[in-house]
């Protein structure tokens, strides 16, 4: 729909509940937090919020704020958040989410325009989607 909605469905009852509207494309389980996943809420034209939602308690919380329309991220097994900004791989620690740290600078490589990320199940390899020219 417009805007996009995040809905949680009960497969047994075939009923769903709208959790949020105006969400982004990335959702992931949060390591170490049972029954909890994260997603992007598009707050306004300059800020996206990473939110968490617990299936059991139905509680929503803000994890951190992203500027530059960041939508794609991955959680590491150490509860760190990795995401890209202007060709740089950034990291946020959930204990101090307002202090981003640069992990790697891809700006002088063919991968400088990466935006989607995924870690393998063992958290040993990172795959990124990048593009040439206009963003698809």
């Amino acid at each position: 729909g417009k805007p996009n909605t995040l809905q949680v469905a009960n497969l047994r009852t075939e009923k769903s509940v709208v959790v949020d509207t105006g969400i982004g494309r990335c959702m992931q389980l949060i390591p170490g937090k049972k029954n909890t996943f994260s997603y992007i809420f598009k707050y306004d034209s300059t800020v996206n919020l990473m939110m968490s939602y617990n299936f059991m308690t139905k509680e929503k919380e803000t994890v951190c704020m992203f500027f530059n329309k960041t939508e794609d991220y991955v959680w590491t097994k150490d509860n760190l958040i990795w995401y890209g900004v202007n060709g740089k791989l950034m990291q946020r620690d959930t204990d101090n989410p307002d202090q981003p740290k640069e992990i790697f600078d891809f700006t002088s490589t063919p991968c400088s325009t990466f935006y989607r990320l995924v870690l393998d199940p063992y958290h040993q390899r990172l795959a990124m989607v990048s593009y040439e020219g206009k963003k698809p």
Side-chain angles (χ1 to χ4, degrees), residues 21-81:
T21 60
I23 66 155
R25 63 181 165 247
C26 191
M27 289 182 277
Q28 295 200 359
L29 292 172
I30 300 175
K33 289 197 173 186
K34 193 172 182 176
N35 303 313
T36 305
F37 70 95
S38 61
Y39 64 95
I40 294 296
F41 169 68
K42 296 180 178 185
Y43 182 75
D44 65 24
S45 64
T46 60
V47 175
N48 287 343
L49 301 177
M50 178 188 282
M51 305 294 293
S52 68
Y53 181 76
N54 183 295
F55 293 108
M56 301 304 286
T57 64
K58 300 182 179 27
E59 292 178 348
K60 280 193 301 190
E61 290 183 40
T62 302
V63 177
C64 64
M65 290 191 327
F66 287 122
F67 300 95
N68 302 321
K69 298 184 180 185
T70 297
E71 278 193 66
D72 301 296
Y73 62 89
V74 293
W75 285 93
T76 71
K77 62 185 174 186
D78 301 323
N79 255 12
L80 300 172
I81 304 161

